[in-house]
Amino acid sequence: MSAEELSNRIEDFLIYLKKEKNYSNCTLRGYRADLRQFFDYFKEKKIALIDYNEIVQYLAFLLKYGAGPRSVARKLSALKSFFKFLKKSGVIPENFVQGIRSPKMKRHLPGFLTYNQISDTFEKIQDLRDRAIMEVLYSCGLRAGELVGLNLEDLDLNREEIRVKGKGRKERIVPLGRVALKAILKYLPERRQRCRDKPDTRALFLNYRGERLTTRSLQRIVRRYLINCANASGTNPHILRHSFATHLLEHGADLRAVQELLGHSSLATVQIYTHLTTKRLREIYQRAHPRAD
């Protein structure tokens, strides 16, 4: 099948990711951009048929002309998912992309905020909805897409827990902390006012129009409150998820329990936090132990 014919399957692939994998609109836009760039390259080079060697050449081209290893690895991941979908759909007989290895890159530890930074910042938030959002993100370690996807029926106030729909539509139950629960209870009367013209709205967190909050809006909300205690790269909602995991491990939580709470399928994904907490413990040791120097 020609490159042009394969490119016509991009939208089918994105629909599959949306319906079957529950991918966020932001992720879908990234996949679309990466795949369009890929096929534009072959169109410009006038290459009609795509094979293993041509894809390797494409990745080498990206690295040569300024794309970083992390960016290239992301683009390769999009290609692997796309060609896996094509094979599964019977469009191609073989997924020759699967054997291509990602470029080596340094592993960066995720950033996190200290508990005091979080506590001091949250205490200053006057808006009831925003306070509830920040408390739930930190208390439950949610991804941005998971938080905006919460519905009212996902709340179980009696059991003090929420049902979270994660990647691949996998559901998990996460306990609500006492402070987060209190913040939600304060916000709910305001929520009823926001959606009185739209009583069928299921979303837990609403914008000023009474509609479901978007991921982009959530990013702006989190940035507004974290900009004074973190640099610009540390104001993404994900930093509260990292802080959630780090603080749990620092206080002795089991690694597998943290894995379940985060909704990760692999324990290896969570183990990066052990490096982070070990680094922090080493700093404490260097400051506090009389024979550390």
Side-chain angles (χ1 to χ4, degrees), residues 123-192:
E123 288 300 322
K124 296 173 185 175
I125 301 175
Q126 299 297 315
D127 186 274
L128 296 179
R129 183 204 62 179
D130 293 356
R131 177 65 184 269
I133 284 172
M134 300 293 278
E135 292 288 0
V136 171
L137 279 173
Y138 173 62
S139 176
C140 303
L142 303 189
R143 301 176 178 94
E146 292 172 346
L147 182 123
V148 300
L150 287 176
N151 293 324
L152 202 57
E153 63 265 26
D154 294 325
L155 269 178
D156 190 331
L157 298 178
N158 291 325
R159 296 175 64 90
E160 299 183 4
E161 59 189 26
I162 57 172
R163 182 175 66 250
V164 181
K165 301 177 187 68
K167 289 184 176 180
R169 296 193 177 276
K170 292 179 181 177
E171 291 190 359
R172 67 185 189 276
I173 302 296
V174 182
L176 269 174
R178 175 181 51 83
V179 179
L181 179 62
K182 183 178 178 181
I184 289 175
L185 290 173
K186 284 186 176 181
Y187 158 67
L188 287 178
E190 180 184 290
R191 180 196 175 278
R192 285 193 287 271

Side-chain angles (χ1 to χ4, degrees), residues 163-256:
R163 182 175 66 250
V164 181
K165 301 177 187 68
K167 289 184 176 180
R169 296 193 177 276
K170 292 179 181 177
E171 291 190 359
R172 67 185 189 276
I173 302 296
V174 182
L176 269 174
R178 175 181 51 83
V179 179
L181 179 62
K182 183 178 178 181
I184 289 175
L185 290 173
K186 284 186 176 181
Y187 158 67
L188 287 178
E190 180 184 290
R191 180 196 175 278
R192 285 193 287 271
Q193 289 296 317
R194 286 179 184 244
C195 69
R196 59 186 174 182
D197 295 330
K198 299 179 180 179
D200 58 339
T201 300
R202 297 169 59 206
L204 175 58
F205 293 111
L206 308 175
N207 60 22
Y208 68 93
R209 296 187 299 272
E211 300 168 347
R212 185 181 299 275
L213 200 67
T214 65
T215 303
R216 185 64 59 86
S217 295
L218 175 63
Q219 291 169 343
R220 286 197 293 266
I221 291 167
V222 174
R223 179 181 174 84
R224 183 189 313 150
Y225 296 112
L226 295 187
I227 194 65
N228 291 325
C229 68
N231 58 38
S233 63
T235 58
N236 188 284
H238 226 62
I239 198 170
L240 294 175
R241 179 172 162 88
H242 295 324
S243 302
F244 162 86
T246 302
H247 296 166
L248 281 174
L249 289 169
E250 282 183 344
H251 288 83
D254 178 74
L255 197 62
R256 288 200 176 275

Side-chain angles (χ1 to χ4, degrees), residues 3 20 26 43 49-51 71 87 92 124 143 147 172 174 178 183 190 225 228 230 234 248 256 265 280 288 293:
E20 300 298 326
C26 181
K43 185 176 181 179
L49 297 176
I50 300 173
D51 59 20
S71 174
K87 184 177 184 299
I92 57 175
K124 296 173 185 175
R143 301 176 178 94
L147 182 123
R172 67 185 189 276
V174 182
R178 175 181 51 83
E190 180 184 290
Y225 296 112
N228 291 325
L248 281 174
R256 288 200 176 275
S265 56
R280 180 162 168 76
D293 295 331

Side-chain angles (χ1 to χ4, degrees), residues 60-108:
F61 169 84
L62 293 176
L63 289 168
K64 183 178 179 180
Y65 290 98
R70 188 170 296 275
S71 174
V72 173
R74 190 200 69 236
K75 294 176 188 297
L76 177 57
S77 177
L79 289 174
K80 285 183 176 181
S81 295
F82 179 59
F83 279 88
K84 182 179 179 180
F85 165 78
L86 293 178
K87 184 177 184 299
K88 184 179 179 180
S89 304
V91 176
I92 57 175
E94 180 186 3
N95 179 7
F96 44 78
V97 185
Q98 197 60 41
I100 300 177
R101 298 178 64 178
S102 295
K104 291 183 178 180
M105 53 189 168
K106 292 182 179 178
R107 195 174 191 188
H108 296 286

